[in-house]
Each structure stands twice: as structure tokens, then as C-alpha cells.
Amino acid sequence: MRTQSLFSKIKFENDGKHLYFIKREDLQVLEGDTPLIIHGPRGTGKTTLLNSLNWKEHESNSNLKNALQKIGSRRDYIGVYLKVPELKVGGLKKWECGEEEIYNQIFSYYIELVWLEELTIAIAEMAVEGRLAFTPSEEKNFIDRVVNGRVNLFSETVKISTLYDFSDELRKIRQNIENASLFSEDIGLVYEPLSNFGQIGFLGK
């Protein structure tokens, strides 16, 4: 794949393999623990900055790896990059709901399901490649801790014992929300099992 300059006329997402130039002070802000909002007109580098944290870009782009190493990247995180316009949130917005608070909670659960699915796949693939190390029993214990007590959320007929199993279940739950909004199902039927979701994203800490 041909390496492209950041200043090409093609959008970053549709371009080839990228060269990166990241200032140390900018990286320290990006990798900090404080939530950030990055804004700016089209073409100012928002996607480039966010993709510099993306685990997929870390794995595939040797130029980025070298750049991060030279300026002292923390590299103690797994960055997940999502494009909300590519998610099926349009259907959710059109979902008729009498209770706005319940709708807002379902919407937030949906976003959490999306990034958890991506993060789970990232961890599983990095483990396969030998970049993360944990035993099968540790993986199973973690899955049990997450799934246990959430019988209404996860299918009882499917055995969930690996991270790939877990990502499949997260995808099914997400698709159930999408289908429910598409066919205008009773939002209460969707919310009841999701209310058992809790802050599942923090259980791995």
C-alpha cells in the first residue's frame, strides 16, 4: 500500500497508509485522562488525531509506531475509534417513544454496546497476535464476572466463554435495538433487559 501525506486531497478515511507527525505536547493531551472535545472545520486534522490513538492504526502503521515511540507515547491503552454517522442511530432517532428519559438511556446503552464490541474484538485479536497475555481460565473468569447476574440480557442458550463469544453477544443485543427501532416495537420491552446492563464497561477495571 502506498504511503500518503497527510495533506492529500482525499479524505483521511478513504486514503492509503498514512504518514504521521505528532507534536509531543499534543500527544500528551490526547493520551491524558481528561475527556476532550476536538472541533474544527473540515480538513483540519480531527480524524488524523483520533486515528493516532486507534488500536487498528497502531497495529498496521509502522510509521505511526515509530512516531509514537520517538515522542514517548504511553501506549498503555487500547484506543477505539468509531464514526457515529456510520452507526444506525438515524433509526433510533425516529423511534417513537413516550418517555424521553428511557429513550435517552437506551441510546446511551447502544453507544456503549458499540464501543464495547469493538474493544472486545481488539483485545481478542491482540491476544491472538501475542501482544496481550492472559490464560484461557483468566479469560473465562472475566467473562463469567461480566455475564453473571445478567440472565435477561445475554442469551441463556449460548455458551459465552471467550472474548469472541462475548463480542458476538454484544452485537446481537445491539442489533436487537436496531430491529426494535426499525419495526417500532414497544420500547419498554427493549428497555427491561437493558436496565440490567449497568456500567458493564467498567467491570474490567
Side-chain angles (χ1 to χ4, degrees), residues 19-55:
L19 293 168
Y20 280 86
F21 172 78
I22 306 171
K23 295 170 65 176
R24 186 187 304 273
E25 52 270 31
D26 291 340
L27 181 68
Q28 289 174 344
V29 173
L30 285 171
E31 293 185 330
D33 297 325
T34 304
L36 298 173
I37 296 177
I38 300 176
H39 65 91
R42 181 177 178 180
T44 53
K46 301 183 298 296
T47 301
T48 300
L49 285 174
L50 293 174
N51 252 304
S52 71
L53 306 178
N54 185 8
W55 74 276

Side-chain angles (χ1 to χ4, degrees), residues 26-88:
D26 291 340
L27 181 68
Q28 289 174 344
V29 173
L30 285 171
E31 293 185 330
D33 297 325
T34 304
L36 298 173
I37 296 177
I38 300 176
H39 65 91
R42 181 177 178 180
T44 53
K46 301 183 298 296
T47 301
T48 300
L49 285 174
L50 293 174
N51 252 304
S52 71
L53 306 178
N54 185 8
W55 74 276
K56 288 183 178 178
E57 195 73 5
H58 285 186
E59 295 297 304
S60 62
N61 193 317
S62 58
N63 170 260
L64 175 60
K65 286 182 183 179
N66 293 333
L68 293 176
Q69 185 176 6
K70 288 179 180 178
I71 59 178
S73 169
R74 284 171 46 180
R75 297 302 303 274
D76 59 350
Y77 58 86
I78 300 175
V80 174
Y81 175 68
L82 301 173
K83 293 188 65 177
V84 173
E86 292 181 356
L87 306 179
K88 297 182 180 180

Side-chain angles (χ1 to χ4, degrees), residues 100-183:
E100 184 176 355
E101 182 178 350
I102 291 180
Y103 171 83
N104 291 338
Q105 288 179 349
I106 290 179
F107 189 88
S108 65
Y109 290 150
Y110 178 82
I111 296 298
E112 189 165 358
L113 284 164
V114 172
W115 74 257
L116 276 175
E117 180 185 340
E118 179 69 16
L119 177 62
T120 304
I121 293 172
I123 295 172
E125 292 190 5
M126 291 175 75
V128 169
E129 294 171 1
R131 296 183 60 83
L132 291 176
F134 47 82
T135 65
S137 61
E138 289 174 332
E139 182 178 14
K140 179 65 164 57
N141 289 338
F142 168 75
I143 297 299
D144 288 344
R145 188 155 59 94
V146 173
V147 174
N148 190 29
R150 292 179 170 83
V151 293
N152 292 330
L153 183 63
F154 297 100
S155 173
E156 297 181 29
T157 60
V158 177
K159 184 178 179 181
I160 307 174
S161 56
T162 69
L163 288 168
Y164 285 116
D165 295 337
F166 184 55
S167 67
D168 286 342
E169 286 301 302
L170 292 174
R171 182 171 61 256
K172 290 175 185 176
I173 298 169
R174 171 177 57 80
Q175 290 172 340
N176 285 340
I177 296 176
E178 294 169 353
N179 291 333
S181 67
L182 178 64
F183 296 105

